Amino acid sequence: GGGWPPPGIDDLGEGRIAAMDAAGIDVQILSNQPGAETVEPSLAVELTRQANDAVAAAVAHHPDRFLGFATLPMRDPAAAARELERVVRDLGFVGALINGHINGRYLDDKFFWPVFECAETLGVPIYLHPTVPPQPVIDAYYSGFDPAISGNLSASGLGWHIDTGIHCIRLILGGVFDQFPRLQIIVGHQFEALSWMAWRTDYSFPLDNSGGLKRTIKEYLRENFYGGILAGEYETLARIAQQQRWDELLGRSGLDPERLEQVRQSPAYGPLLVALRDAEARGLDAERTFPQLVAARSFDAVEDPATVIRGRVERWARGAGSTRRASTDLIAGLIPRARDVTDADMTRGLQERDEAMQRRARVLAEQAIEQNQVWVRRLGIAPSDPLAREQWTEAVTVVAAYRERWNIEDDHRPLGPKGAARTIEAINQRSLAQAAANRASRLAYEPGAQRPEPGAVAVDISPAEGPGL
């Protein structure tokens, strides 16, 4: 286990498609590892073109499953802009992935702004990939240990993420988003430390002490950045925290040792654990029923038993009769909480992310209500009664959480087009968000409540879940 590159990363064909299917992934964005700045600009222009053409060829073989991110020759910004325009307009790429700084030169330097201008014009995002900090920073902060320790500390151990987080703030303070207000930057790894520290940066740079910025730090981060996948981090931690419990449950399922190991090594193992947590969040007894589901039929002719078991769990949960879920078992009304975690540090980590997701969902809902966004108006006007208003806001919060979780940008349909939910997880969460939308609409229609504007509501408010929005 472990190590880089992971097995199968170079497979752009049926092996990757099979792994995606097993993990419930509909579409992947393919990209090359960035680093064209390490070669001479003229050579970088040719190499990036070849690399992007290779990605385009892989996408062409599976156009319904793959999309492309470009790699760019950033030492020549004019050439980088031309290449970005070529791959977006001619090859259908959906963005670019570049390193966080270019040989120690950060991207707030106006030298690089032609690339930002091009990305904004094309309407595609740029993924800011972490890279090791500049050498003087490594010498000052990460040296003094065994070289292997210093190397890891300056990279994935911490240095990558601190450096990229600072870089994001440099882009803001450098005026990039005042010049290109529609530019979108993607950052990974829990927003590269900004999820936890951005509030302090925002506090430190009020508008009257920010060098002439047009918005607050928080507004730039909210409007010009994508990042901070709290739900993904929670799922990962929950899987680790409950590993022993699920392993013991698998061990009691009657599978022979070879099949047990096959299940644990399958890409579908993670989604299987999510399905078990989802069943428990429905109030179902996974401990008692899971062994019965495993024993229901032989696996003699089955290549991937984890995928089969996952399907059995999901069908059982959907058909068990009750979709009632206690609100205490779902984070932001959507995500099943991990249960029976005994490790204190893991419990604390899960709780922190739980609270962060709840806060985030509430903030999104309150902002949407305050701004009178169209999708909120579709749910009716908030009741005047304080208790009913809080219940209405809680329901709107679930819808807001769903919209962010699944990148719903449709202003007129609170849950977006129904067909957009294609994975089991998305379908289950859409069902929960639909029920929340129905609750909000019913509360808005209580006797004596103010009626919304004519034609504003597009929600089935019957007691059943009804059709999608």
Side-chain angles (χ1 to χ4, degrees):
W4 182 265
I9 194 170
D10 293 327
D11 187 338
L12 301 180
E14 297 306 321
R16 180 178 290 259
I17 296 295
M20 290 166 60
D21 289 340
I25 297 171
D26 294 322
V27 177
Q28 278 190 346
I29 297 178
L30 303 179
S31 63
N32 287 282
Q33 184 171 333
E37 65 274 7
T38 61
V39 300
E40 288 300 315
S42 59
L43 179 58
V45 169
E46 178 58 29
L47 291 178
T48 54
R49 185 182 183 91
Q50 293 178 17
N52 292 330
D53 286 347
V55 169
V59 172
H61 280 97
H62 299 280
D64 295 332
R65 307 304 300 275
F66 294 150
L67 297 170
F69 265 5
T71 186
L72 300 175
M74 290 298 293
R75 287 176 66 181
D76 184 343
R82 289 194 298 271
E83 178 64 6
L84 180 59
E85 183 170 13
R86 180 185 79 90
V87 298
V88 171
R89 295 196 187 282
D90 298 345
L91 304 180
F93 279 32
V94 293
L97 183 145
I98 61 177
N99 268 335
H101 65 81
I102 308 303
N103 298 335
R105 198 172 183 179
Y106 287 87
L107 301 177
D108 56 283
D109 189 322
K110 291 184 179 181
F111 174 76
F112 299 108
W113 285 19
V115 178
F116 293 145
E117 180 180 16
C118 181
E120 184 189 50
T121 299
L122 294 169
V124 296
I126 292 178
Y127 191 115
L128 201 62
H129 192 279
T131 188
V132 292
Q135 192 59 48
V137 176
I138 294 175
D139 293 341
Y141 284 97
Y142 304 111
S143 62
F145 304 102
D146 178 275
I149 298 298
S150 291
N152 284 337
L153 183 60
S154 69
S156 60
L158 190 60
W160 275 358
H161 316 298
I162 298 299
D163 193 69
T164 307
I166 293 173
H167 196 170
C168 292
I169 300 301
R170 287 187 64 100
L171 293 176
I172 294 172
L173 295 175
V176 169
F177 303 106
D178 287 341
Q179 183 68 28
F180 309 109
R182 293 179 289 108
L183 177 65
Q184 298 294 302
I185 301 293
I186 301 173
V187 290
H189 306 115
Q190 192 42 48
F191 221 154
E192 306 294 8
L194 290 174
S195 287
W196 314 113
M197 293 304 299
W199 69 270
R200 188 166 180 86
T201 308
D202 184 70
Y203 173 82
S204 299
F205 292 99
L207 277 177
D208 59 0
N209 187 34
S210 62
L213 293 179
K214 297 178 180 179
R215 292 175 277 162
T216 65
I217 299 292
K218 181 169 58 179
E219 287 172 328
Y220 290 107
L221 290 173
R222 186 169 60 236
E223 296 166 13
N224 295 101
F225 287 86
Y226 287 94
I229 311 301
L230 282 166
E233 283 212 349
Y234 187 91
E235 295 290 358
T236 300
L237 285 179
R239 173 176 174 176
I240 296 170
Q242 296 186 294
Q243 191 77 47
Q244 182 176 353
R245 178 188 175 207
W246 299 126
D247 277 352
E248 290 175 353
L249 188 60
L250 271 173
R252 299 197 302 270
S253 67
L255 290 174
D256 61 61
E258 182 179 351
R259 286 294 194 191
L260 278 174
E261 186 61 22
Q262 195 175 0
V263 169
R264 289 169 180 146
Q265 295 299 322
S266 168
Y269 185 46
L272 167 60
L273 302 190
V274 173
L276 286 167
R277 284 216 330 278
D278 184 73
E280 289 188 328
R282 292 174 181 264
L284 302 177
D285 190 347
E287 294 272 356
R288 180 177 65 83
T289 306
F290 182 69
Q292 300 172 18
L293 295 173
V294 174
R297 192 174 301 170
S298 169
F299 295 97
D300 289 344
V302 172
E303 292 185 5
D304 187 355
T307 297
V308 175
I309 297 170
R310 171 194 171 195
R312 293 177 186 176
V313 171
E314 289 170 344
R315 287 191 295 273
W316 162 62
R318 290 197 304 269
S322 172
T323 57
R324 178 185 60 81
R325 304 184 183 202
S327 61
T328 54
D329 286 335
L330 293 169
I331 302 168
L334 294 178
I335 300 167
R337 283 191 171 88
R339 294 171 53 180
D340 301 326
V341 178
T342 57
D343 181 86
D345 289 337
M346 195 65 72
T347 298
R348 184 164 54 251
L350 288 166
Q351 183 63 29
E352 288 173 351
R353 286 155 180 81
D354 184 325
E355 293 171 356
M357 284 189 283
Q358 297 272 28
R359 286 195 304 270
R360 172 68 174 165
R362 183 71 179 209
V363 166
L364 288 170
E366 290 175 349
Q367 288 172 348
I369 293 168
E370 180 182 353
Q371 296 167 8
N372 198 26
Q373 294 180 9
V374 174
W375 72 265
V376 176
R377 297 204 303 270
R378 299 280 182 180
L379 303 180
I381 296 175
S384 56
D385 175 75
L387 178 58
R389 183 182 182 88
E390 175 58 26
Q391 293 172 338
W392 180 84
T393 303
E394 289 177 356
V396 173
T397 296
V398 176
V399 178
Y402 175 82
R403 287 175 64 85
E404 176 167 77
R405 178 72 179 86
W406 299 104
N407 298 317
I408 305 299
E409 297 181 351
D410 188 328
D411 287 337
H412 295 275
R413 288 180 285 189
L415 304 187
K418 189 173 184 179
R422 290 184 286 180
T423 66
I424 293 296
E425 181 186 12
I427 291 168
N428 287 344
Q429 291 189 9
R430 184 186 174 91
S431 175
L432 292 165
Q434 173 74 73
N438 292 343
R439 286 197 304 274
S441 199
R442 283 196 297 269
L443 287 162
Y445 284 168
E446 288 296 328
Q450 183 180 1
R451 303 292 291 188
E453 60 191 57
V457 177
V459 183
D460 176 1
I461 59 170
S462 62
E465 287 183 358
L469 299 177

